[in-house]
Amino acid sequence: MEQRYQSFNEFYPFYLSQHQHPVCRQLHFVGSALILLVLAYTLYNQQFMWLLSLPIIGYGFAWVGHFIFEKNRPATFTYPLWSLMGDWKMFWQILTRQI
């Protein structure tokens, strides 16, 4: 039976365990960085149709990492909100060299 997490703090170690391959983490980081760039571009130029690309960019890079390098099922399918929070926490920790 699959474990059910009761909090994000409980979930995050599991999230990191699903992102051990360095290329998977790099793909997540690149996807998240591109999301920030597209968001900034969209707000600056007010071309809001670019917002439609955000899920494709974010999930595209992440899922390549999972299916090709980690060979696991993305946590997004089971824990969508906590997985999104995990993406940004991991992005920050990579950016600040905590992981």
Side-chain angles (χ1 to χ4, degrees), residues 2-12 79 82:
E2 185 178 315
Q3 180 175 346
R4 301 298 299 176
Y5 298 98
Q6 302 301 315
S7 70
F8 176 73
N9 287 336
E10 200 177 291
F11 168 79
Y12 190 63
Y79 299 96
W82 286 349

Side-chain angles (χ1 to χ4, degrees), residues 27-97:
L27 286 168
H28 275 68
F29 185 86
V30 169
S32 296
L34 285 174
I35 285 173
L36 294 175
L37 288 173
V38 169
L39 187 57
Y41 172 82
T42 300
L43 295 173
Y44 178 76
N45 289 305
Q46 296 188 357
Q47 295 179 2
F48 297 107
M49 288 298 289
W50 279 100
L51 294 176
L52 297 174
S53 71
L54 295 181
I56 296 164
I57 293 168
Y59 288 124
F61 279 87
W63 290 359
V64 166
H66 284 286
F67 294 129
I68 294 177
F69 296 97
E70 286 288 351
K71 300 190 183 346
N72 64 15
R73 185 174 179 261
T76 300
F77 296 148
T78 309
Y79 299 96
L81 180 60
W82 286 349
S83 181
L84 180 63
M85 292 167 58
D87 287 342
W88 290 109
K89 182 171 181 173
M90 185 172 73
F91 176 82
W92 178 253
Q93 289 182 323
I94 292 170
L95 186 66
T96 59
R97 301 186 186 273

Side-chain angles (χ1 to χ4, degrees), residues 16-28:
L16 288 178
S17 78
Q18 301 300 296
H19 299 84
Q20 293 185 17
H21 196 287
V23 176
C24 181
R25 285 189 183 184
Q26 291 167 354
L27 286 168
H28 275 68

